[in-house]
């Protein structure tokens, strides 16, 4: 590997990149290592190596206040988080603050895309009506669609079922420069699959370790993994299901199967708690978001995404030498 590539990424300096809303790159300065990517064949070769070997360290996840990061290795009790917490924030304030966080995400995503070296994966899990679609819409509004890819995972197709359980998820992970969004994810295979007994227990039990290995592979390959669990109360789910029944504009969202699944509420809470406990790791911790209040949920998730992107500190590549002197021919 060339020397230049050894210092290409700034992982070692992570932790001082978190910034205020109007200051996207507090660490900007002339000591910034080169991000030129096109210099030589040796560099091109180095680009195809795992990011860990190219000098990557996992980016610290920066959780906004009010978001609960599940401690790795600890037994997590979902009931310890109030689903209707609002952090004492004012709703009108949070709605404005959401705009600020979104503007930061948009600007940082452009840098991530231009750097074309690392990626960000946002994983959303929740019980039915938990707010995954609404969150994705609210948090990623305005992001360049070219730099962002959303994958929504449904009941696996027969082709997907003919493969190992991670196959379809791995195929949709974000490439360099991209933000990937998983609306449901590989966790379904230890959630719905477990609750409905779709595979024998020995099979789903073996998956927690495989999931941790999979996420470590992603992290070492330059993908920061942000996993959000949207935590709503049983009473809030009732309200949301009732709203889907009452409002003709929401009828399309109503799935009678949700009423059946609701009867398994406790089994789902148990499955969520186990997944959060067993798959919260230092590099990819689970983040529990009180989600009864949509405005609170949207703001804290947007802030977490913006702060984590800022900690990644993506850089525009170096301009070609002598660009200022270049003349465009007539
Ligand atoms: P929705 O997200 O509401 O459109 O519904 C998608 C459905 O697909 C949900 O009922 C999920 O539980 C189900 N689903 C997602 N992944 C899996 C999986 N790996 N195995 C079985 N069902 C799944
Ligand atoms: Mg549904």
């Amino acid at each position: 590997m060339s020397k230049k590539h050894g210092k290409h990424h700034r992982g070692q300096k992570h932790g001082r990149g978190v910034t205020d809303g109007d200051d996207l790159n507090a660490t900007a300065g002339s000591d910034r290592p080169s991000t030129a990517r096109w210099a030589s064949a040796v560099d091109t070769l180095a680009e195809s190596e795992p990011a860990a070997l190219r000098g990557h360290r996992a980016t610290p996840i920066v959780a906004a206040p009010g978001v609960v990061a599940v401690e790795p290795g600890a037994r997590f009790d979902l009931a310890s988080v109030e689903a209707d917490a609002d952090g004492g924030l004012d709703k009108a304030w949070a709605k404005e603050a959401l705009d600020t966080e979104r503007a930061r995400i948009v600007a940082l995503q452009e840098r991530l895309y231009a750097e074309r070296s690392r990626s960000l994966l946002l994983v959303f899990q929740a019980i039915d009506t938990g707010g995954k679609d609404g969150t994705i819409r609210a948090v990623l509004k305005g992001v360049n669609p070219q730099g962002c890819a959303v994958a929504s995972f449904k009941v696996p197709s027969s082709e997907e079922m003919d493969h190992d359980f991670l196959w379809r998820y791995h195929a949709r992970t974000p490439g360099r420069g991209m933000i990937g969004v998983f609306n449901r994810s590989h966790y379904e295979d230890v959630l719905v699959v477990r609750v409905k007994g779709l595979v024998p227990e020995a099979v789903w039990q073996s998956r927690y370790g495989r999931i941790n290995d999979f996420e470590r592979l992603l992290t070492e390959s330059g993908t920061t993994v942000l996993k959000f669990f949207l935590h709503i109360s049983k009473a809030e789910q009732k309200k949301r299901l009732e709203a889907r029944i009452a409002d003709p504009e929401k009828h399309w969202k109503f799935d009678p199967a949700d009423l059946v699944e609701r009867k398994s509420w406790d089994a789902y809470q148990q499955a969520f708690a186990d997944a959060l406990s067993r798959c919260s790791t230092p590099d990819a911790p689970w983040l529990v978001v009180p989600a009864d209040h949509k405005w609170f949920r949207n703001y804290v998730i947007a802030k977490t995404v913006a702060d984590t992107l800022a900690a990644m500190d993506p850089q525009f590549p170096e301009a070609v030498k002598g660009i200022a002197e270049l003349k465009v021919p007539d």
Side-chain angles (χ1 to χ4, degrees):
M1 183 189 306
S2 75
K3 241 184 150 187
K4 197 165 97 203
H5 261 283
K7 58 173 188 167
H8 181 156
H9 300 294
R10 313 188 62 242
Q12 295 88 333
K13 297 187 181 175
H14 286 154
R16 64 184 183 91
V18 183
T19 63
D20 294 324
D22 57 353
D23 179 8
L24 294 169
N25 284 286
T27 58
S30 56
D31 65 334
R32 203 175 283 296
S34 162
T35 54
R37 297 173 45 254
W38 46 70
S40 71
V42 177
D43 282 352
T44 310
L45 236 172
E47 281 295 304
S48 67
E49 289 171 356
L53 302 179
R54 291 186 280 123
H56 270 302
R57 297 280 188 287
T59 304
I61 305 302
V62 188
V67 172
V68 178
V70 176
E71 195 190 323
R75 178 87 230 135
F76 181 70
D77 179 13
L78 210 40
S80 67
V81 181
E82 296 288 349
D84 68 348
D86 64 7
L89 299 181
D90 174 68
K91 183 172 174 180
W93 178 89
K95 285 194 161 181
E96 265 191 39
L98 171 62
D99 286 340
T100 306
E101 298 306 326
R102 271 202 296 243
R104 294 177 67 212
I105 293 171
V106 168
L108 286 160
Q109 186 261 345
E110 190 183 359
R111 285 171 173 260
L112 186 76
Y113 189 76
E115 182 191 78
R116 202 153 180 258
S117 174
R118 294 168 292 166
S119 58
L120 178 66
L121 174 61
L122 309 178
V123 172
F124 292 101
Q125 283 293 160
I127 197 118
D128 298 316
T129 75
K132 300 183 297 295
D133 303 73
T135 302
I136 293 165
R137 197 168 54 237
V139 170
L140 293 163
K141 191 170 142 189
V143 166
N144 181 356
Q146 197 154 246
C148 180
V150 182
S152 295
F153 295 101
K154 312 285 182 186
V155 176
S157 68
S158 59
E159 188 189 19
E160 288 168 345
M161 267 192 280
D162 282 341
H163 292 80
D164 69 84
F165 83 100
L166 288 171
W167 181 75
R168 67 173 182 158
Y169 307 105
H170 208 163
R172 308 293 294 275
T173 54
R176 288 180 197 148
M178 297 291 288
I179 295 179
V181 181
F182 279 7
N183 182 348
R184 301 187 189 269
S185 69
H186 42 297
Y187 284 93
E188 289 295 326
D189 294 79
V190 291
L191 294 169
V192 64
V193 167
R194 165 179 168 173
V195 171
K196 290 189 165 178
L198 302 179
V199 298
E201 175 166 355
V203 174
W204 60 257
Q205 283 285 6
S206 74
R207 288 179 172 171
Y208 298 99
R210 308 241 190 264
I211 287 173
N212 289 337
D213 289 345
F214 172 55
E215 292 179 1
R216 190 164 60 245
L217 171 66
L218 296 182
T219 304
E220 287 177 358
S221 304
T223 301
T224 297
V225 183
L226 268 178
K227 304 184 292 195
F228 294 104
F229 175 68
L230 313 182
H231 182 42
I232 62 165
S233 63
K234 197 172 181 188
E236 179 65 18
Q237 190 195 49
K238 184 160 198 271
K239 266 186 15 202
R240 292 184 187 183
L241 286 170
E242 284 170 349
R244 287 180 184 186
I245 291 168
D247 181 353
E249 296 268 300
K250 290 184 174 166
H251 281 175
W252 68 274
K253 287 201 228 174
F254 181 73
D255 180 355
D258 291 351
L259 300 182
V260 180
E261 294 308 295
R262 181 171 163 82
K263 293 189 181 143
S264 304
W265 177 274
D266 291 342
Y268 272 107
Q269 298 299 303
Q270 187 57 54
F272 283 129
D274 282 352
L276 300 179
S277 302
R278 295 173 72 172
C279 299
S280 203
T281 57
D283 287 343
W286 264 107
L287 304 175
V288 180
V289 181
D292 276 3
H293 298 293
K294 295 174 183 173
W295 58 268
F296 179 74
R297 170 200 80 194
N298 291 344
Y299 165 65
V300 293
I301 292 176
K303 179 163 174 56
T304 301
V305 172
D307 284 349
T308 299
L309 271 169
M312 289 172 77
D313 197 16
Q315 299 301 310
F316 288 120
E318 232 171 44
V320 287
K321 264 208 170 95
I323 190 166
E325 282 74 49
L326 290 179
K327 296 267 177 294
V328 180
D330 292 331

